[in-house]
Amino acid sequence: MSLTDSSAQLAQRLKAEREARNWSLAELAERSGVSKAMISKIERDEVSPTAALLGRLSGAFGLSLSQMLARAEQGGGQLARLAEQPVWRDPETGFIRRALTPAGGPPTPLDLVWGELPAGQSVDYPAAAFAFIQDQQIVLLEGMLHFTQGAVLHEMRAGDCLRLGPPEACRFHNPGGTPCRYLVVLLRR
């Protein structure tokens, strides 16, 4: 799936989630802290939202960021081939997110997400983006990752696995000179 396809599907999904709740742009703006103008641009696929904005919008809908993106990512089957895995790129940081969990079969509360954060970049998420996650773990595959949850900094190296605590605002930061690649395993409530 191309990044363009993923962006259009995400725009449609955000609008569908808002309309399913009978919310106006103003109501979603108030609940999420994202301006009406920005929400409108996102829904019309005129701009691609950043990871931080998506975290705020998904939290307003009562969904984890992973659930929000999964609802936008079409597909089916038991096997998720690399070329067909939905990919999304944060236009602000260049962060790449790829959904690994096959969309086919019965619904599952388990999500596998592959992330790549460019050198020197950071992505911040509000606590609301994690409110509907029962358990979350991060496995660093390559590079270095400074993961901050609340006030606690975890300096991760390749092979390290971190189990997150209760939902708090967090930051993914790559202090290294090369991209860091990691796997996030989420168990939704």
Side-chain angles (χ1 to χ4, degrees):
M1 171 179 290
S2 73
L3 290 172
T4 304
D5 293 343
S6 184
S7 176
Q9 288 175 336
L10 182 57
Q12 292 170 359
R13 174 48 48 195
L14 285 167
K15 186 174 183 178
E17 291 292 338
R18 180 178 61 79
E19 289 176 346
R21 291 163 176 77
N22 293 317
W23 291 354
S24 65
L25 286 172
E27 187 166 357
L28 178 55
E30 183 178 322
R31 290 173 180 260
S32 67
V34 177
S35 74
K36 288 189 321 184
M38 179 57 74
I39 295 168
S40 180
K41 287 179 183 179
I42 293 168
E43 286 185 357
R44 292 190 315 263
D45 197 25
E46 293 176 1
V47 298
S48 183
T50 64
L53 280 177
L54 279 179
R56 290 163 60 188
L57 291 167
S58 64
F61 291 134
L63 301 170
S64 70
L65 179 60
S66 183
Q67 287 172 307
M68 183 78 225
L69 290 168
R71 287 181 177 197
E73 296 159 343
Q74 306 295 320
Q78 298 294 108
L79 176 63
R81 296 203 181 274
L82 176 62
E84 299 167 356
Q85 292 169 357
V87 176
W88 175 78
R89 181 185 302 268
D90 182 340
E92 185 175 286
T93 63
F95 164 70
I96 298 171
R97 178 201 184 274
R98 188 163 32 103
L100 302 177
T101 304
T108 176
L110 180 69
D111 279 327
L112 298 175
V113 177
W114 181 89
E116 180 175 324
L117 188 59
Q121 294 296 316
S122 298
V123 176
D124 296 299
Y125 294 104
F130 303 99
F132 304 94
I133 297 174
Q134 180 175 326
D135 196 4
Q136 181 173 353
Q137 297 182 31
I138 302 168
V139 179
L140 188 59
L141 304 173
E142 296 176 39
M144 297 186 323
L145 177 65
H146 285 183
F147 182 82
T148 305
Q149 185 178 29
V152 180
L153 170 65
H154 302 278
E155 296 181 3
M156 298 178 68
R157 306 263 184 257
D160 290 350
C161 182
L162 172 65
R163 186 174 190 180
L164 277 61
E168 291 186 85
C170 71
R171 167 177 263 207
F172 288 76
H173 174 68
N174 179 355
T178 61
C180 70
R181 294 175 179 93
Y182 53 89
L183 177 66
V184 178
V185 181
L186 303 162
L187 183 62
R188 296 186 307 259
R189 292 186 195 279

